[in-house]
Amino acid sequence: VQLQASGGGLVQAGDSLRLSCAGSGRTFSNYAVGWFRQAPGKEREFVAAITGSGGRIDYADSVKGRFTISRTNAENTVYLQMNSLKPEDTAAYYCAARRWQIDSNWPRYDYWGQGTQVTVSS
């Protein structure tokens, strides 16, 4: 499956952004999709994930209550709505896919999109 992430940008603290991850090449609904982020000099970290059906969702504690992951399989797209952004959310955001189950460990994902940069100024 091929993934294309988009929607990043430069915003101020408190603003919102919506990231999109467009999938192609396989039956998209068979794949769980996760969002991960990586800031310069830091490890890649889990943000959120959703199963193929959308029936199970998981979030990192740092984004709970501010970020919402969703998907529209008819459009082969997963979204990450990010509200109340903070400077510490600044990072390159990546979407990734794996068969069936969600997982918070990035090495367990088989397919990756290119990153989209999110920069939050204070």
Side-chain angles (χ1 to χ4, degrees):
V1 62
Q2 291 79 47
L3 302 173
Q4 178 84 23
S6 62
L10 172 63
V11 297
Q12 294 186 331
D15 285 350
S16 298
L17 275 177
R18 188 177 78 160
L19 305 184
S20 298
C21 177
S24 63
R26 300 282 178 96
T27 305
F28 194 60
S29 59
N30 288 343
Y31 290 82
V33 174
W35 284 98
F36 296 82
R37 65 188 182 186
Q38 188 166 18
K42 294 189 177 181
E43 296 286 323
R44 186 170 300 188
E45 65 174 359
F46 171 72
V47 176
I50 187 169
T51 53
S53 67
R56 186 180 170 200
I57 289 173
D58 193 19
Y59 295 99
D61 288 342
S62 60
V63 306
K64 280 181 181 176
R66 299 188 299 122
F67 291 11
T68 302
I69 190 170
S70 62
R71 67 188 299 159
T72 303
N73 285 335
E75 297 177 358
N76 287 355
T77 304
V78 172
Y79 301 99
L80 184 69
Q81 177 67 43
M82 306 186 296
N83 297 331
S84 303
L85 282 161
K86 304 176 181 180
E88 50 263 45
D89 294 318
T90 295
Y93 282 71
Y94 299 87
C95 61
R98 68 188 303 268
R99 289 293 295 266
W100 306 121
Q101 296 300 319
I102 59 175
D103 200 292
S104 61
N105 296 302
W106 67 264
R108 294 179 180 171
Y109 285 76
D110 301 306
Y111 306 96
W112 289 83
Q114 87 295 352
T116 186
Q117 180 67 34
V118 172
T119 303
V120 185
S121 63
S122 57

